[in-house]
Amino acid sequence: MSKGKLQKFAEMEHFENVLQPNIKQYTEQDFPNKGKWRQIMGTSGKIILELGCGKGEYTIGLAQKYPQHGFIGIDIKGARIYTGAKKALELGLKNVLFIRTKIDFLKTFFADSEVNEIWLTFPDPQRKKQRRRLLNAKFLNIYRDILADDGLLHLKTDNPNLYQYTMKMAQYNDIEIITSTDDLYSSSLEGDAKDIKTYYEKMFLEQGKKINYIELKLNKNKEYKEIPEKFTWKKTSKYA
Ligand SMILES: C[S@@+](CC[C@H](N)C(=O)[O-])C[C@H]1O[C@@H](n2cnc3c(N)ncnc32)[C@H](O)[C@@H]1O
């Protein structure tokens, strides 16, 4: 590990807005803050997560815009979280936390219905490893459990295959599609989806890629299943 990274990690140990739980301990055992996030963040508003938050542009941007709500960025990579957490501290944002952990273990961190919205910002598409794709049935069921009734799931992606896969999953599972567009910045949509751009998003836009966006309303009473037919990942110049 580089000296710079080691220094950042050492500094981050003292950040009051970063939690770095022992990953082995909290794969199955509940994290002590589970069910108490509102109390811990001093809010009676919503709890909103950014998953695979990287440097946390949504966590920070939304926290500035909506000070009445609590925002938690989650990522496994410490160096990326460091950047977001340091910025949040510099901005004096009291409604921001970062957790360094795997999205796979969300249910050990959040109680049933404790979360109001989830933002998935440019997740790795996982073309070959569907079991790790953050929009597969296993993950949708995890999100459904921690989300409150009518909880919202937002996805931003540059990847048309991941967009199509998610649309198919939503249609097959009767998930309400509130909004969907395969070209966000040419659409008439306004608001949070357009107002904040992440680190990866800026890179994709510079490469001339279109940004896809979907907003879904998950239903607590549904068991989500994988689409029965094999999803074919297209390989054209448009499809990365
Ligand atoms: C392509 S980057 C996007 C980062 C950021 N959201 C952005 O748009 O700039 C994907 C991020 O997801 C994180 N990630 C991928 N799978 C994860 C998992 N299972 N648990 C936690 N983080 C994960 C990676 O560490 C990485 O930071």
Side-chain angles (χ1 to χ4, degrees):
M1 198 183 293
S2 71
K3 207 172 151 197
K5 247 187 191 177
L6 282 173
Q7 257 169 5
K8 281 182 183 175
F9 289 162
E11 195 186 333
M12 197 161 70
E13 288 291 327
H14 306 286
F15 285 4
E16 63 199 25
N17 61 357
V18 179
L19 301 168
Q20 303 193 71
N22 180 316
I23 208 124
K24 284 204 180 102
Q25 192 176 355
Y26 296 111
T27 49
E28 283 163 17
Q29 186 190 331
D30 282 351
F31 191 64
N33 298 7
K34 179 173 176 175
K36 301 180 194 142
W37 290 105
R38 278 188 183 74
Q39 193 186 326
I40 285 158
M41 299 189 78
T43 177
S44 55
K46 294 180 181 176
I47 294 292
I48 298 168
L49 308 184
E50 183 185 8
L51 303 182
C53 66
K55 299 179 180 184
E57 285 82 4
Y58 262 84
T59 306
I60 291 172
L62 292 176
Q64 287 179 299
K65 205 166 165 185
Y66 306 107
Q68 71 276 30
H69 301 315
F71 295 86
I72 305 178
I74 296 176
D75 204 292
I76 194 61
K77 294 212 171 131
R80 293 186 181 168
I81 282 187
Y82 170 90
T83 307
K86 193 162 173 86
K87 184 164 182 198
L89 289 174
E90 283 164 4
L91 290 167
L93 292 171
K94 299 284 177 224
N95 57 337
V96 167
L97 281 178
F98 288 91
I99 310 177
R100 184 179 182 190
T101 192
K102 286 191 88 173
I103 294 158
D104 312 56
F105 310 132
L106 278 180
K107 284 175 69 165
T108 68
F109 287 87
F110 297 94
D112 231 43
S113 307
E114 191 171 16
V115 173
N116 300 92
E117 289 185 41
I118 292 175
W119 284 83
L120 270 167
T121 51
F122 300 89
D124 303 314
Q126 302 290 0
R127 174 181 167 203
K128 291 196 177 144
K129 292 188 182 144
Q130 191 179 332
R131 68 189 161 79
R132 290 174 66 179
R133 201 174 295 154
L134 294 176
L135 278 309
N136 71 19
K138 181 187 91 175
F139 282 104
L140 287 180
N141 286 318
I142 293 176
Y143 307 150
R144 173 210 59 201
D145 286 347
I146 63 165
L147 277 168
D149 230 4
D150 290 338
L152 297 177
L153 177 67
H154 308 261
L155 167 71
K156 282 179 94 173
T157 178
D158 64 303
N159 190 292
N161 282 299
L162 185 64
Y163 173 72
Q164 288 302 338
Y165 169 80
T166 308
M167 289 295 281
K168 275 190 190 279
M169 284 295 284
Q171 283 151 1
Y172 178 67
N173 285 291
D174 257 334
I175 299 175
E176 188 180 341
I177 302 170
I178 312 261
T179 309
S180 67
T181 172
D182 61 2
D183 189 357
L184 176 64
Y185 293 103
S186 299
S187 76
S188 57
L189 264 182
E190 282 178 19
D192 298 336
K194 248 186 194 168
D195 292 350
I196 298 167
K197 292 187 181 73
T198 74
Y199 177 76
Y200 271 81
E201 180 170 8
K202 285 178 193 156
M203 283 197 314
F204 295 138
L205 286 167
E206 271 172 27
Q207 292 164 14
K209 290 188 176 175
K210 292 198 167 126
I211 304 302
N212 306 266
Y213 171 66
I214 309 182
E215 182 181 356
L216 301 174
K217 192 187 274 186
L218 297 193
N219 183 335
K220 278 220 110 30
N221 305 312
K222 288 279 285 228
E223 181 66 24
Y224 297 125
K225 296 196 170 78
E226 218 46 60
I227 35 179
E229 74 271 19
K230 193 174 179 302
F231 179 75
T232 316
W233 211 265
K234 291 192 181 125
K235 262 189 171 179
T236 68
S237 54
K238 184 183 166 211
Y239 288 83

